Amino acid sequence: MYDMNEIVGSHDLLLVTLDTLRYDVAAELAAAGETPVLSGVLPGGRWERRHSPGSFTYAAHAAMLAGFLPTPAAPGPHPRLFAGRFPGSETTADGTWTFDAADLPAGLAAAGYHTVCVGGVGFFNKLTPLGSVLPGLFAESHWEPGFGVTDPESAAHQIDRVAEVMRRLPSGRRLFLLLNVSALHQPNWFYLDGATREHGDSRASHAAALREVDRHLGRLFDLMRRPCFVIVCSDHGTAYGEDGHTGHRIGHEVVWTVPYGEFVLS
């Protein structure tokens, strides 16, 4: 475990949530060499298997932005990287960075960070009160239709906006950036060669979406200032017919099990 008391204040922080990405698909593509950018930065080139704190985007992100990142799948307890200060916490350890705030962005803002959200799925669209809750935790937030689930170029558009954010960032100000990548989420049929809307989404098109996202992540990492502590993970998985289930917000293994990685860009 990193000592986050040494990281916070000395590093920029990047949290990339690959919305809806299944662990099994991510692990298979990494093993097959089909996501070279991610494999090049993940420790050992492999994903860690973890359990999500929520079965859909809003619940999982609300938990993660309070310091409850996906939990290692092995028996715990597991010390957390970030934790709101409260008595009796069994997952706060010496290396945990604790904060006196209701959420992680507020805690980091109090520590001098500029907090930015570049949203993707509908819970970040700021078009409704509910879609404004998560981006409202950040000092600066961005969303537009081109960042959403229906645009096949969403990942490229989102990283274009990150580039704008980085150009405006004062050199002496530390950054906490959340990028919620929407491309993995349904609909994703258009990432699979030869597929049509009538074919619908599938595990194969989900994998094709991850290959497309991986193609753009090198540019994202190049945009980050050094040193930068990075967390890349899924918020939850999704079902494509397993045991009769389709979608998420259900208690199925493919929904609760997510890929996770953390590393430092230096």
Side-chain angles (χ1 to χ4, degrees):
M1 176 178 172
Y2 288 93
D3 186 344
M4 298 308 295
N5 296 294
E6 297 181 358
I7 296 289
V8 174
S10 63
H11 292 54
D12 283 356
L13 305 174
L14 171 64
L15 172 58
V16 181
T17 54
L18 302 173
D19 205 291
T20 317
L21 177 59
R22 291 168 53 133
Y23 171 80
D24 55 355
V25 171
E28 287 170 13
L29 265 60
E34 296 183 32
T35 49
V37 173
L38 283 164
S39 293
V41 292
L42 292 170
R46 296 165 51 181
W47 291 101
E48 183 182 350
R49 182 175 179 268
R50 291 202 174 196
H51 292 147
S52 171
S55 63
F56 68 108
T57 298
Y58 185 85
H61 279 82
M64 288 192 286
L65 292 173
F68 298 95
L69 294 166
T71 306
H78 300 285
R80 289 187 287 140
L81 299 179
F82 310 98
R85 198 183 312 276
F86 65 93
S89 170
E90 295 183 355
T91 53
T92 300
D94 290 342
T96 303
W97 185 74
T98 57
F99 53 91
D100 288 308
D103 55 80
L104 179 60
L108 288 168
Y113 278 74
H114 181 50
T115 62
V116 182
C117 170
V118 177
V121 303
F123 286 113
F124 294 90
N125 65 20
K126 301 193 287 186
L127 300 178
T128 66
L130 181 58
S132 301
V133 173
L134 295 174
L137 300 177
F138 294 80
E140 179 182 343
S141 61
H142 301 269
W143 188 90
E144 60 186 48
F147 299 172
V149 299
T150 60
D151 193 318
E153 301 295 326
S154 60
H157 297 324
Q158 289 182 293
I159 295 171
D160 287 343
R161 184 59 52 87
V162 171
E164 294 178 16
V165 169
M166 299 307 294
R167 282 195 294 268
R168 291 186 283 101
L169 187 68
S171 60
R173 189 80 182 275
R174 284 295 174 201
L175 171 70
F176 171 47
L177 172 65
L178 167 65
L179 174 60
N180 171 251
V181 177
S182 67
L184 286 306
H185 197 285
Q186 296 95 326
N188 53 44
W189 57 267
F190 38 72
Y191 293 110
L192 193 62
D193 289 344
T196 65
R197 187 183 303 275
E198 288 66 36
H199 287 99
D201 300 323
S202 64
R203 195 177 184 279
S205 62
H206 186 81
L210 179 56
R211 288 191 288 268
E212 169 67 12
V213 168
D214 186 80
R215 195 168 65 84
H216 295 283
L217 286 178
R219 183 161 69 99
L220 171 68
F221 297 145
D222 286 345
L223 287 168
M224 294 298 106
R225 303 180 305 185
R226 269 60 170 169
C228 182
F229 180 80
V230 183
I231 297 167
V232 182
C233 64
S234 175
D235 55 344
H236 58 80
T238 198
Y240 289 102
E242 289 84 2
D243 299 312
H245 294 291
T246 299
H248 36 274
R249 202 164 55 82
I250 54 173
H252 195 281
E253 173 71 12
V254 297
V255 174
W256 286 111
T257 307
V258 295
Y260 179 94
E262 60 188 39
F263 50 90
V264 172
L265 296 173
S266 58

